[in-house]
Amino acid sequence: MASYDFDLLTIGAGSGGVAGSRRAASYGARVGIIESARVGGTCVLRGCVPKKLLIYGVHLHDELEDAAGYGWSIGENTLDWAKLIEAKDRELDRLNGIYLGMLERAGVKVIEGRGRLIDAHTVAVGEQTYTSERIMIATGGWPVVPKIPGAEHAITSNEALDLKTLPHRIVIWGGGYIAVEFAGIFRAAGCDVHLVVRADRVLRGFDGEVRDHLTEAMKARGITIHAESTVARIEKTQGGLVAHLDSGIMIDCDQVMAATGRAPNTTGLGLAELGIETDAYGAIVVDEWSATTLPNIYAVGDVTNHLNLTPVAIGEARGLAETLYNNNPVHLDHATVPSAVFSQPPVATV
Ligand code: NDP
């Protein structure tokens, strides 16, 4: 029997990669995990967690206003955005430490760098190569900005979470999860928010009444919604940016944020060279057991583009670890998955 450096080598230390690696290690597997950035992935570093911290932060504005109505004497209150961002960053540092500690305690070896498949059992990280009986790809996804003139001036949710100054006016492009959540954050923080949605309402695919209700509620909070429109061009001016909509409307603003979907992170992994099948969106094709078209290579989470949700990635990864290392064949059922959108009001769907 061939001897490998690891029983399981995971590429990507986000929610799925970390959960599956720890679970496999808990059953005695020798596990390594490769990560090119900080451990934690989209949810912890660039998604759910920082976004929720900002939502909690700005939401206090409503509470303070309500409190006055219940007899509290509330003085003038202002939000220091830079302080909120600093506090959010401190919390992310703390969580990053917790994640590293959890991997260490589980006995999972963390390898810093970008993993590239060399063959079915070998992954290169820079000059170094590592061998493993099995490989789990959990490299997640990344925001996509449509190719329009001036697209390079747009920020995405990655940068929006780190803005040092609050924009006076922001154009948010898209009508999905990220667009409505960030529209709510920036509006509650006091920005003039323009949401550009190509459908007639936000959240395509959700229940019609929910969509109607949320669209109206967002307008009532002062968000300007440009429905059945898209951003055709972004122009940089001396004072900021101009978003040119296809309807002819021009919006002077400080930031344009594209929230126009995410794509699987598969570039540079060496998938095509090994004959691992990807779909038209670049997502790794897997069966219900998370197996790719190469028998000992698996993929979980956003890189498979099933449902880009943290608990889904975790469920797939833990199911894989149970199946492979605990003689307990289980896999996630993707038929009825709940998800919540942290809009104002929050909405949920199954
Ligand atoms: P979504 O797929 O939810 O929304 C993308 C939006 O961009 C849609 O409104 C879409 O319009 C629009 N769009 C896409 N391409 C274009 C284009 N070329 N021109 C104009 N509009 C365009 O993606 P998000 O980026 O918001 O989020 C990615 C995923 O991350 C979500 O689907 C979700 O799975 C996950 N997520 C989950 C969260 C949660 O659980 N709370 C929070 C944030 C993200 P149309 O509808 O017309 O296609």
Side-chain angles (χ1 to χ4, degrees), residues 317-333:
R318 286 189 180 148
L320 183 60
E322 288 291 330
T323 305
L324 298 178
Y325 299 107
N326 192 32
N327 197 22
N328 173 27
V330 284
H331 66 74
L332 197 79
D333 176 0

Side-chain angles (χ1 to χ4, degrees), residues 4 9 11 100 111 115 194 199 266 299 304 324 330 345:
Y4 300 108
L9 186 53
I11 310 180
L100 278 170
I111 301 161
H194 289 249
T266 45
T304 67
L324 298 178
V330 284

Side-chain angles (χ1 to χ4, degrees), residues 226-251:
H226 303 268
E228 297 176 322
S229 300
T230 192
V231 178
R233 178 164 72 92
I234 304 169
E235 180 192 355
K236 191 163 174 54
T237 61
Q238 264 192 333
L241 299 172
V242 181
H244 295 261
L245 308 193
D246 59 348
S247 58
I249 289 176
M250 294 187 285
I251 310 167

Side-chain angles (χ1 to χ4, degrees), residues 47-48 51-52 143-148 157 173-182 196-199 201-206 211 229-231 258-263 302 307-311 338-343 347:
C48 340
K51 177 239 4 234
K52 271 177 211 153
V144 177
V145 183
K147 289 186 177 54
I148 55 158
S157 52
W173 182 17
Y177 282 74
I178 296 181
V180 299
E181 289 181 347
F182 278 79
V196 182
V197 186
R198 70 177 170 189
R201 293 163 289 172
V202 298
L203 293 182
R204 190 198 292 276
F206 277 62
R211 296 179 68 193
S229 300
T230 192
V231 178
T260 40
R262 296 172 63 86
D302 291 3
L307 284 167
N308 293 350
L309 298 170
T310 298
S339 77
V341 187
F342 295 86
S343 45
V347 299

